[in-house]
Amino acid sequence: MLAASIDKGITRMGQEQVLEAIHLQKIYPVSAGAFSRKPLFLKAVDDVSFALEKGTTLGLVGESGCGKTTLARLLLNLEQPSDGKVIFDGYNIYELKGEQKKQFRQRVQIIFQDPYSSLNPRKNVGSIIGEPLLIHKHVPRSQISRRVLELMDLVGLQKDQISRYPHEFSSGQRQRIGIARALSLDPQVIIADEPVSALDVSIQAQIINLLQDIQNQMGLTYLFISHDLHVVHHISHRVMVMYLGKVVECALNEDLYRNPLHPYTEALLSAAPVADPSYNKKRILLTGDLPTPLNPPRGCIFSSRCPIIKPDICLEKHPPLVEKRKGHFAACYLKQ
C-alpha cells in the first residue's frame, strides 16, 4: 500500500494499519568544497509512502545506499524528516512530546544489524534485557528478574546464562539477546535492520524462524530490512523495493517474486544465488553509469542503468508509483 492507496485509506491485505508513512523525505546538505558556489543536497529518502499492517511483515530490499536505514531511522523518530509524516496510533510521531513520545518509544522497537556492537560489553544479559523495563517502569522492580527470565526462555536462551556477558556468547546467541531486549516493552512494531546479515547461514535460519514464531505468538508487525532476497522471500508478506531513495515497486510476496514489474527488481532477482547447480538461471547484467544520489539521472532515476530504456519517454520525468495490477505497484512507464 503506497501513496495513492494511503490517501484513500485502502488496506490491501484486509489488515488493520499500525503505522503509516506519508510522503516521507529526508534531504541532507552536503559540503560542496571551498571552490564551489552551488550547494549540494543528498536525497536519502525521496517521497516514500507505505503502511505497515498489523501482524504482517513488510520486507524492504535494495542496494547499499538506497536509503533503507535512513527510512528506518525516520520511522523510529531518530531523524526528523525534511517533509512528510508518520502516523502511529492516530498521531504524527514528529509532533509527540514528553510522555506520548516515551510511549511511542516503547511500542516501536528495533533489532540492530550487528549483534555485538549493539550490546553493552560491560553489562550482563540480565542487565541488558532488564534495563528498558527499569527505565520505562514497565513492570514493578520486584518482577524485573522474572520478566527477564521469561524473555530469555522465549528467545531460546538458558536461564543460567543470565549473569554472562556478551563476549561469552556466539553471534547467534547475541542476536537472541538483542531480540529479547526489543521484546521487553511489549512493542507493537519491530524494525529489523539487516538482523541476520552478520550471521552464518545456518544461524540465519534459526533467527528467522524465531522471529516468525514470536510474530505468530504475539501478533507483532515487522519491517524487515535486508539485501538478501531469499531471506526476505521467506519471512515477508509484502515486499518493497527501493532505489536511490525512492520506492520503485511494492507487491505481495509471491506476486513480486514471480512477476516483477520493474527492471531493477528483475535485475535484483536474477542476481540472487540459487542452491541448485544444475539450474540455468539467466542473469540480467546492468550496464551504464552507476548514479549518485547527489546527482541522480534525469527523468527516471533508473534510466542510466535500465536495459529497456526509451529516451523519449524515460528521460522526461520520473514515473509515478502506480497500481499496475491489484495490490502491485511499480514506477515504470514501460512495464505493464
Side-chain angles (χ1 to χ4, degrees):
M1 172 158 9
L2 299 167
S5 298
I6 285 177
D7 292 341
K8 296 176 183 178
I10 299 172
T11 304
R12 289 295 171 195
M13 294 184 63
Q15 302 288 337
E16 175 189 347
Q17 295 178 7
V18 177
L19 181 149
E20 296 179 62
I22 303 175
H23 302 301
L24 273 184
Q25 188 175 67
K26 182 62 180 179
I27 302 175
Y28 295 100
V30 178
S31 174
F35 300 101
S36 176
R37 296 181 180 179
K38 184 179 179 180
L40 296 177
F41 298 94
L42 187 152
K43 290 186 178 180
V45 174
D46 189 6
D47 194 22
V48 171
S49 298
F50 65 94
L52 297 181
E53 296 166 345
K54 185 175 181 180
T56 68
T57 300
L58 174 64
L60 177 59
V61 299
E63 295 171 303
S64 296
C66 72
K68 301 189 299 294
T69 296
T70 302
L71 178 59
R73 293 178 63 83
L74 289 171
L75 298 178
L76 289 160
N77 202 358
L78 298 177
E79 295 265 9
Q80 287 291 310
S82 303
D83 196 10
K85 56 186 177 180
V86 172
I87 304 299
F88 181 80
D89 199 23
Y91 297 94
N92 181 359
I93 67 171
Y94 306 116
E95 297 175 352
L96 298 179
K97 305 290 183 182
E99 187 62 29
Q100 282 187 321
K101 191 170 185 178
K102 185 177 179 181
Q103 291 176 7
F104 170 77
R105 298 280 192 220
Q106 296 180 45
R107 297 166 69 186
V108 181
Q109 289 287 310
I110 185 170
I111 299 171
F112 295 96
Q113 178 177 356
D114 188 341
Y116 188 71
S117 62
S118 64
L119 302 178
N120 189 336
R122 297 187 178 186
K123 291 188 175 182
N124 61 30
V125 173
S127 297
I128 290 171
I129 300 175
E131 186 174 31
L133 298 169
L134 187 63
I135 292 173
H136 290 272
K137 300 178 182 178
H138 192 62
V139 297
R141 185 183 289 266
S142 60
Q143 296 181 20
I144 289 179
S145 294
R146 180 177 62 82
R147 178 59 177 159
V148 169
L149 291 174
E150 290 176 353
L151 290 165
M152 290 179 65
D153 182 62
L154 179 64
V155 300
L157 294 171
Q158 301 300 315
K159 294 182 179 180
D160 60 5
Q161 297 173 321
I162 191 170
S163 60
R164 295 186 185 179
Y165 290 82
H167 70 273
E168 300 180 80
F169 293 89
S170 67
S171 58
Q173 289 175 320
R174 287 195 287 264
Q175 194 58 293
R176 290 174 187 269
I177 297 170
I179 293 171
R181 179 178 59 187
L183 295 172
S184 62
L185 298 175
D186 298 315
Q188 291 177 266
V189 177
I190 288 184
I191 297 174
D193 189 4
E194 305 257 15
V196 297
S197 63
L199 308 178
D200 293 338
V201 175
S202 60
I203 305 301
Q204 287 183 8
Q206 295 177 21
I207 297 300
I208 292 300
N209 290 335
L210 173 64
L211 289 173
Q212 289 182 311
D213 290 342
I214 291 171
Q215 183 179 54
N216 293 334
Q217 290 179 43
M218 303 176 66
L220 292 172
T221 302
Y222 294 151
L223 175 66
F224 189 92
I225 302 171
S226 180
H227 62 272
D228 190 323
L229 291 164
H230 291 302
V231 170
V232 170
H233 190 193
H234 182 73
I235 195 172
S236 302
H237 298 93
R238 292 183 300 143
V239 180
M240 187 166 71
V241 183
M242 285 187 71
Y243 183 80
L244 278 189
K246 285 185 174 291
V247 175
V248 295
E249 188 164 5
C250 184
L252 292 174
N253 188 326
E254 292 300 329
D255 192 16
L256 184 135
Y257 277 81
R258 291 177 182 173
N259 302 293
L261 293 180
H262 195 282
Y264 176 61
T265 308
E266 290 181 331
L268 284 180
L269 294 174
S270 75
V274 178
D276 185 358
S278 64
Y279 180 72
N280 186 19
K281 187 175 185 179
K282 184 180 179 181
R283 174 75 185 274
I284 299 174
L285 297 176
L286 297 178
T287 58
D289 297 330
L290 190 65
T292 167
L294 285 172
N295 186 25
R298 183 165 58 94
C300 175
I301 57 170
F302 190 58
S303 61
S304 64
R305 303 169 73 190
C306 183
I308 62 171
I309 182 175
K310 290 186 178 181
D312 57 328
I313 299 175
C314 302
L315 297 183
E316 293 300 315
K317 184 180 179 182
H318 182 72
L321 192 68
V322 297
E323 191 172 17
K324 304 280 188 175
R325 293 196 295 260
K326 185 177 180 181
H328 194 145
F329 297 80
C332 182
Y333 290 120
L334 306 178
K335 287 280 190 177
Q336 297 297 329

